[in-house]
Amino acid sequence: MIIAIASGKGGTGKTTVAVNLTLSLDNVQLIDCDVEEPNSNLFLKLKLERAEDVSIQIPVIDEEKCTHCGKCSELCQYNALAVLPDKVMVFKELCHGCGLCQMACPQGAITERDRTIGIIEKAEGEIEFLRGVLNIGEAMSTPLIKRLKEKMNREKTVILDVPPGTACPVIEAISGVDYCLLVTEPTPFGLYDLRLAVELCKELNVKFGVIINRDGTGNQDTEDFCNEQGIPILLRIPYDRKIAELYSKGIPFVREMPEWRARFKDIFRKIERVETEK
Amino acid sequence: MKQVLVISGKGGTGKTTLVAGFASLAGNAVIADCDVDVPDLHIILQPRIQEEIPFYALKAPVKDESRCVECGRCREVCRFNAIDEDFNIIDLRCEGCGACAFICPVNAIEMTDREAGRIYISRTRFGPFVHAQLKIGEEASGKLVTEVKRKAKELAEKENKELILIDGSPGIGCPVIASLSGVDLALIVTEPTVSGIHDLERILDVTEHFKIKTSVCINKFDINEEKTNEIENFCNENGIPLLGKIPYDSSITRAMIELKTVIEFSSPKTSEQVKKIWSKIIKRV
């Protein structure tokens, strides 16, 4: 089973849930898909090794063959090519690697080369762990997330730590998962962003439930919203200074507060039940 | 005209809370929300929308079923897995490159304009405000950010505003990079946690990469004083100005629930800190 931990709003506790859930279950593969700011391993402290470089293909122009007809630049939807009278410029950061220019060039003057956008690191052992790390200055994270997801181990429970927001990296991360846990906080910002995340799950046809973090700090509106919409609230994590302090030090709170393991296991059981009903 | 951007790397460190506070102090400024996929600033600023502008970015393929001969060429060339086994286009996966339309031998696919979001030009109790909402599942958040910034600049010129105050998004990717362009000062809001510090270092690499003048402030500094010291030392060693420290204060959450800024609502101690940080920002730009 593949479970994604997402949120809409940043900083609601996705990584906290992903890590503590991982530590409460057996036979788990955790994949940190927040490749812009991968934080899971700050808590797990596993020894990582480099698994592979991830790249996309970008065009290389053969100036001998090129007649500067401008077809490539005209077709490119990302403004990644500019054809000057005697030269073609490739703006590699803008290129999505779609390959259209190479397909369309009437002279066959375009080939492609790999451009690295980030790396995948892994750890093996009791917890199988993978993460992607996007290179600094790189705009596109989706190809890296896509590659990470190709490495999902279906024989295990796969937990995906998803980046915040509802844009393309999030879609890539939660497409095709069995269940999405939406972590929120009971505040107006948390609720607004939760609504967007709910819309996204519906659009992607992904089953979902909510975890309310820092319960007790905000107001009742989030709870009311979930009840009205018939969205299950699977767990409430109270605002607790001890949890916040453990988080700040990089200690998963189930390690110091083992009574929580059963609660995380229980979420998993509830999700399994939803799965078997399918 | 100067541009101040508030970013964080890590989400949920208090960007929007601070920007709302600054907005109430800024006076002659245009406010812009460049977190276009999950914008929150409007919740506090309660804008009166004056103009709503549809945003078109990438074109989207539309298939004419009556022409399609199911040859499968489109599926072969699509690198984004956006065409399924039955040759349907999966909108959510499509990046709008147009390879399918180009390769189709019977011209069954046409690239058409698709609304990817909306830009709003509004008035608030603190001045003009430009914000946007990306449609669920749309690409092009970077392009929408650029468009919001362009509109904010136009408005600032038209109304003789000296400053654009910008709320950014978390992360270090596409929308963040788009929001950094032309900025005079980026303020990074961090928190004294292992994640906060890790993400601070990543976003600082990005601002350095794009040669943007950067300062830092620490939110909830008293959650872990040891980590706060670590951040202070890190900033000192790297010559990055630390503009202030804000305590953990439950009145900040209460302010949000009252839909008020921290200046309008929270405890005097917190409010003083935010004012101090703002005055240092103004000095630096």
Side-chain angles (χ1 to χ4, degrees):
Chain A
M1 183 157 56
I2 307 162
I3 304 171
I5 321 289
S7 73
K9 178 165 161 40
T12 56
K14 285 179 295 302
T15 300
T16 298
V17 169
V19 168
N20 285 296
L21 183 61
T22 297
L23 293 173
S24 304
L25 303 176
D26 302 320
N27 201 27
V28 180
Q29 181 195 37
L30 174 64
I31 304 181
D32 194 341
C33 294
D34 188 356
V35 302
E36 295 181 36
E37 299 288 15
N39 286 342
S40 291
N41 200 45
L42 297 173
F43 298 86
L44 293 172
K45 301 182 177 72
L46 302 170
K47 200 165 170 282
L48 300 180
E49 54 179 287
R50 203 185 180 101
E52 65 175 69
D53 288 354
V54 176
S55 46
I56 62 167
Q57 288 178 296
I58 64 162
V60 179
I61 316 291
D62 182 346
E63 290 286 353
E64 300 273 295
K65 289 187 186 163
C66 176
T67 60
H68 307 100
C69 71
K71 184 93 184 160
C72 55
S73 146
E74 181 198 309
L75 283 169
C76 178
Q77 300 292 315
Y78 313 111
N79 306 318
L81 289 154
V83 180
L84 309 175
D86 58 346
K87 194 178 173 218
V88 179
M89 289 173 76
V90 179
F91 303 105
K92 52 186 197 296
E93 287 83 9
L94 296 177
C95 174
H96 283 221
C98 70
L100 178 56
C101 53
Q102 176 252 126
M103 245 185 281
C105 177
Q107 309 303 322
I110 302 182
T111 51
E112 291 181 299
R113 71 169 173 91
D114 285 344
R115 186 173 81 87
T116 306
I117 58 162
I119 59 165
I120 290 179
E121 294 173 322
K122 66 171 180 185
E124 273 154 23
E126 206 177 321
I127 299 167
E128 192 180 331
F129 176 76
L130 283 166
R131 73 168 191 183
V133 184
L134 187 70
N135 288 351
I136 294 296
E138 202 58 62
M140 262 183 299
S141 58
T142 38
L144 188 47
I145 298 170
K146 191 167 161 186
R147 184 74 190 117
L148 273 172
K149 285 184 72 181
E150 284 167 9
K151 294 176 174 291
M152 288 190 294
N153 182 349
R154 305 282 180 148
E155 283 163 24
K156 297 191 173 185
T157 299
V158 180
I159 296 174
L160 305 176
D161 190 359
V162 174
T166 55
C168 19
V170 180
I171 295 164
E172 186 66 49
I174 68 178
S175 293
V177 305
D178 297 305
Y179 200 89
C180 191
L181 280 171
L182 299 174
V183 187
T184 189
E185 56 180 38
T187 63
F189 291 0
L191 178 55
Y192 184 85
D193 300 353
L194 174 65
R195 284 172 192 269
L196 293 169
V198 164
E199 285 305 307
L200 183 62
C201 285
K202 285 184 179 164
E203 193 123 341
L204 290 170
N205 235 335
V206 169
K207 288 212 163 59
F208 59 93
V210 163
I211 292 182
I212 299 181
N213 192 14
R214 302 191 192 103
D215 191 28
T217 49
N219 60 13
Q220 195 51 39
D221 294 355
T222 304
E223 195 106 7
D224 292 346
F225 167 76
C226 291
N227 291 337
E228 278 160 29
Q229 300 273 318
I231 300 165
I233 298 171
L234 298 174
L235 185 70
R236 292 175 181 80
I237 305 171
Y239 179 77
D240 178 337
R241 179 113 192 161
K242 188 171 174 199
I243 293 179
E245 275 169 19
L246 288 170
Y247 175 84
S248 76
K249 292 179 196 155
I251 301 168
F253 69 86
V254 295
R255 289 215 163 118
E256 303 277 322
M257 303 157 88
E259 68 277 14
W260 279 88
R261 279 179 204 264
R263 295 175 201 163
F264 279 104
K265 266 196 189 122
D266 192 46
I267 302 179
F268 180 70
R269 261 183 244 116
K270 284 181 190 155
I271 296 173
E272 260 184 333
R273 227 172 290 146
V274 175
E275 269 302 286
T276 43
E277 279 165 19
K278 224 166 41 178
Chain B
M1 183 208 315
K2 301 287 182 187
Q3 295 186 33
V4 173
L5 169 70
V6 180
I7 44 176
S8 67
K10 177 167 164 38
T13 58
K15 285 180 295 300
T16 304
T17 296
L18 269 181
V19 170
F22 295 156
S24 69
L25 300 169
N28 201 24
V30 170
I31 309 150
D33 191 351
C34 283
D35 189 349
V36 296
D37 60 323
V38 283
D40 287 327
L41 187 55
H42 66 279
I43 295 171
I44 303 298
L45 298 187
Q46 296 175 286
R48 296 180 302 282
I49 295 167
Q50 292 191 315
E51 198 185 341
E52 194 173 332
I53 309 153
F55 166 72
Y56 300 95
L58 294 166
K59 288 180 187 263
V62 173
K63 194 170 83 165
D64 179 346
E65 294 293 345
S66 67
R67 286 191 180 183
C68 176
V69 292
E70 305 200 336
C71 67
R73 291 291 286 135
C74 53
R75 189 168 145 85
E76 270 165 43
V77 298
C78 177
R79 290 187 179 172
F80 308 109
N81 303 329
I83 296 172
D84 69 14
E85 298 91 350
D86 304 319
F87 313 113
N88 297 309
I89 297 160
I90 309 163
D91 284 340
L92 283 171
R93 311 222 90 192
C94 174
E95 296 196 14
C97 72
C100 54
F102 176 81
I103 209 74
C104 179
V106 293
N107 291 324
I109 300 176
E110 200 192 340
M111 297 303 285
T112 56
D113 277 327
R114 178 171 64 179
E115 191 182 315
R118 295 242 149 169
I119 299 171
Y120 304 96
I121 296 178
S122 302
R123 297 285 142 181
T124 72
R125 60 192 184 283
F126 308 121
F129 178 39
V130 183
H131 47 128
Q133 176 74 61
L134 191 71
K135 279 199 173 171
I136 298 285
E138 278 296 331
E139 294 274 329
S141 53
K143 283 191 179 172
L144 184 49
V145 165
T146 304
E147 207 46 35
V148 167
K149 290 189 66 178
R150 207 174 59 81
K151 290 280 176 210
K153 215 169 156 191
E154 265 177 32
L155 201 61
E157 274 160 11
K158 205 168 88 190
E159 301 190 10
N160 275 320
K161 303 287 184 191
E162 292 153 2
L163 186 79
I164 304 175
L165 171 63
I166 309 160
D167 193 3
S169 56
I172 62 164
C174 171
V176 175
I177 291 172
S179 69
L180 279 170
S181 108
V183 156
D184 297 283
L185 179 74
L187 176 73
I188 303 176
V189 188
T190 186
E191 59 177 37
T193 65
V194 287
S195 307
I197 294 172
H198 171 265
D199 296 355
L200 169 66
E201 289 178 18
R202 298 256 297 162
I203 188 74
L204 278 169
D205 285 344
V206 175
T207 57
E208 196 187 305
H209 181 93
F210 291 104
K211 308 207 165 24
I212 305 280
K213 193 162 124 185
T214 307
S215 298
V216 168
C217 75
I218 308 175
N219 194 9
K220 303 177 202 158
F221 82 89
D222 47 352
I223 289 258
N224 187 330
E225 308 251 5
E226 204 180 304
K227 294 280 177 215
T228 292
N229 285 337
E230 216 177 288
I231 298 171
E232 284 178 280
N233 292 337
F234 175 84
C235 288
N236 282 336
E237 278 162 26
N238 290 280
I240 301 152
L242 180 68
L243 301 191
K245 298 187 288 187
I246 300 162
Y248 176 81
D249 177 355
S250 60
S251 74
I252 293 179
T253 310
R254 288 207 306 279
M256 192 203 289
I257 288 174
E258 298 293 325
L259 309 181
K260 295 277 197 304
T261 69
V262 286
I263 304 297
E264 293 167 303
F265 192 89
S266 72
S267 71
K269 201 173 143 202
T270 299
S271 168
E272 274 319 301
Q273 277 304 318
V274 175
K275 284 180 189 164
K276 207 174 98 192
I277 294 169
W278 181 245
S279 68
K280 286 188 183 168
I281 290 173
I282 292 301
K283 267 185 215 133
R284 296 189 59 78
V285 297

